[in-house]
Amino acid sequence: MQSTPWKAIIIRVVVFIGIIILLDIGLGKVLKYNYLKISGGATKACTYAVNEAKDDVFILGSSRASHHYKSSLIQDSMHVTCFNAGRDGEGIFYSYAVLKCILTRTTPKLILLDLTTDEFAVDENDYSKLSFLTPYYDAHPEMQPILNLRSDYEWIKVKSSLYQYNSTIIKIIGDRLRPSASEKTELGYMPLFKEYKGSLELANNPKSKLPLDTLKVNCLKSLIRDVKQVGCKLVVITSPVYLNMANGTKSMKVVKSICAKERVTYINNSQLPAFMQDPSIYADQYHLNDKGAGIMTNMVIEEIKPLWSGQATDIIDTNLQTSALNRKDTLNRL
C-alpha cells in the first residue's frame, strides 16, 4: 500500500525525462535544419569544408588565414580549385579537426596552413571555441577526439542535440531573419576593407610571454603525420604582421624546428620589409586588408611554385628580413 506514491513519483520522473529527451531531439532537429540552411559567411564556409569540399588546395588557420589568402588568385594562377577554410578566432585544433574531415573524403594536392605568431601559447579559450564544430560531432567521428579536448565530459554533453547547437542559436536566428547580413566570402576568403592608420610599434603581445601548450604542439605534429600519410603537400606559413618582432616568438621557433625535423615547408613571412613600410595594406596590426591580401597571396604563389612543380621539397625561409619581393634567393634549403 505504501509503495503506490513511490510508483507515481517514479512514473512522473520517467515521463518528465522522456519529455525532456523528446524536446531535446525535436528542437535539435529544428536547429540542425536551420543551421545547415545558413546561406553565407563563416558558418556556410565551415559546413562546406567539413561536409562537402573536394578541392585541390585548402587554406587552414585562424582569421589570418581567412583574411590573407585570396582563393581566386590561387585558382587562376595555379590552375587548381582552391577553398579557404580558415576561421576567425580559431587555431590549430580547429584546423586539424577540419582537415581530418577533408582527408576522409578526398586527398588534396596542397594544404596551406597559416599559423599565428603565438599559435602554441596556453589559452583555455582555444578549447572552448571548438564549440563551433559541435554541430558536426555526430556525423564526423574522425574529429571527435579533438572536440573531446574541450572537457573530460564532452562526449557525454554532446549527446544533447541542444548542447551541440547552443553556441550557434544567435547566428541561426540572425541569418534566418536577415540572410543578406551574413559576412561575404569568396571561396572562403573574407576580405577586409578598412585601412590601418597607426605607426609601426614594437610587438608587446602578452600571449608571447605565456608558456606553450604541449597539446597544440603535438596537434601540429599529428597534422603533419596525417598529411604525409596521404601523400599531400603541406606548406606552413606565418603571414605578415605590422609589428616589429624581428626576434620572433617561442611559438614561431617551435614551428620552424618541427618543420625542419619533418622536412615540411615553412615560410616565415611575418617580418617582410615590403609589408613593414605601408600600413595602408593592413586592416589592423595583425590583419591585412583586401589590397594587402592580394599582394601577399601573389607572393606566396611565387614562393611555393618550386614545391608545386616538384623542383623542391623543403623550402624554408631562413631570413626573417628578406622576401621574394626583394630577393630571388630568399628561400633557402635548411
Side-chain angles (χ1 to χ4, degrees):
M1 296 292 293
Q2 295 180 350
S3 63
T4 301
W6 284 108
K7 287 182 178 179
I9 292 173
I10 292 172
I11 290 172
R12 289 173 184 170
V13 170
V14 170
V15 170
F16 177 76
I17 293 174
I19 291 172
I20 294 297
I21 292 174
L22 290 174
L23 282 172
D24 181 79
I25 294 172
L27 291 173
K29 288 183 179 296
V30 171
L31 289 171
K32 179 179 180 179
Y33 174 82
N34 284 280
Y35 181 83
L36 295 176
K37 289 290 184 179
I38 290 178
S39 57
T43 301
K44 180 66 175 179
C46 180
T47 297
Y48 173 74
V50 170
N51 289 343
E52 305 173 38
K54 295 183 179 180
D55 296 270
D56 298 319
V57 178
F58 285 95
I59 297 145
L60 297 172
S62 65
S63 56
R64 288 165 48 74
S66 64
H67 300 306
H68 287 188
Y69 300 86
K70 303 187 77 166
S71 310
S72 60
L73 292 181
I74 294 174
Q75 284 198 161
D76 295 342
S77 177
M78 301 179 69
H79 307 292
V80 294
T81 58
C82 177
F83 189 77
N84 190 325
R87 183 155 186 171
D88 291 20
E90 297 292 350
I92 188 66
F93 293 138
Y94 179 92
S95 296
Y96 187 35
V98 171
L99 178 64
K100 288 185 76 68
C101 296
I102 292 169
L103 295 182
T104 62
R105 186 172 55 251
T106 187
T107 300
K109 295 178 181 178
L110 174 66
I111 300 293
L112 298 177
L113 175 64
D114 188 288
L115 297 180
T116 68
T117 54
D118 293 297
E119 187 71 42
F120 299 143
V122 171
D123 187 347
E124 289 301 316
N125 288 330
D126 290 337
Y127 292 87
S128 62
K129 285 184 289 190
L130 285 170
S131 61
F132 289 113
L133 288 174
T134 54
Y136 312 98
Y137 189 96
D138 291 336
H140 293 278
E142 64 273 13
M143 70 159 58
Q144 290 175 6
I146 302 169
L147 301 192
N148 286 342
L149 293 173
R150 293 190 69 211
S151 70
D152 293 337
Y153 303 102
E154 190 68 16
W155 64 277
I156 297 176
K157 295 177 182 177
V158 292
K159 300 300 181 184
S160 165
S161 297
L162 286 176
Y163 177 81
Q164 291 184 18
Y165 291 92
N166 66 359
S167 65
T168 68
I169 293 175
I170 294 176
K171 176 64 179 173
I172 291 171
I173 295 173
D175 186 82
R176 300 304 277 166
L177 291 176
R178 295 183 60 201
S180 62
S182 294
E183 312 102 309
K184 298 298 184 290
T185 63
E186 304 167 7
L187 299 171
Y189 164 68
M190 300 180 66
L192 299 174
F193 295 104
K194 62 182 180 179
E195 291 187 4
Y196 181 63
K197 303 297 184 181
S199 57
L200 185 66
E201 299 176 356
L202 185 66
N204 187 28
N205 188 342
K207 291 187 73 172
S208 298
K209 302 175 183 178
L210 296 174
L212 301 186
D213 187 330
T214 55
L215 283 177
K216 293 180 180 179
V217 175
N218 290 335
C219 189
L220 175 61
K221 293 178 181 178
S222 296
L223 185 151
I224 292 172
R225 177 203 64 207
D226 288 4
V227 169
K228 282 186 172 183
Q229 285 179 349
V230 299
C232 174
K233 294 177 180 178
L234 172 66
V235 176
V236 181
I237 304 174
T238 302
S239 52
V241 294
Y242 195 64
L243 288 165
N244 186 347
M245 52 173 61
N247 294 326
T249 64
K250 289 184 289 185
S251 287
M252 292 163 66
K253 292 172 184 176
V254 170
V255 170
K256 182 176 180 178
S257 175
I258 292 172
C259 290
K261 182 178 180 180
E262 297 293 337
R263 308 306 294 177
V264 167
T265 302
Y266 175 52
I267 302 175
N268 185 350
N269 287 337
S270 64
Q271 297 287 278
L272 298 180
F275 286 82
M276 304 289 283
Q277 299 165 4
D278 184 7
S280 71
I281 62 174
Y282 287 85
D284 57 49
Q285 291 174 310
Y286 288 95
H287 299 95
L288 295 165
N289 57 27
D290 187 61
K291 177 183 176 182
I295 297 171
M296 211 274 299
T297 301
N298 281 323
M299 187 201 70
V300 168
I301 290 170
E302 293 303 313
E303 287 177 321
I304 65 176
K305 275 184 176 178
L307 175 72
W308 184 255
S309 63
Q311 296 175 5
T313 57
D314 55 350
I315 301 171
I316 307 291
D317 186 348
T318 57
N319 189 340
L320 299 183
Q321 299 302 319
T322 62
S323 80
L325 291 177
N326 302 305
R327 288 177 51 190
K328 293 182 180 179
D329 61 341
T330 296
L331 304 178
N332 300 299
R333 194 183 296 266
L334 277 183

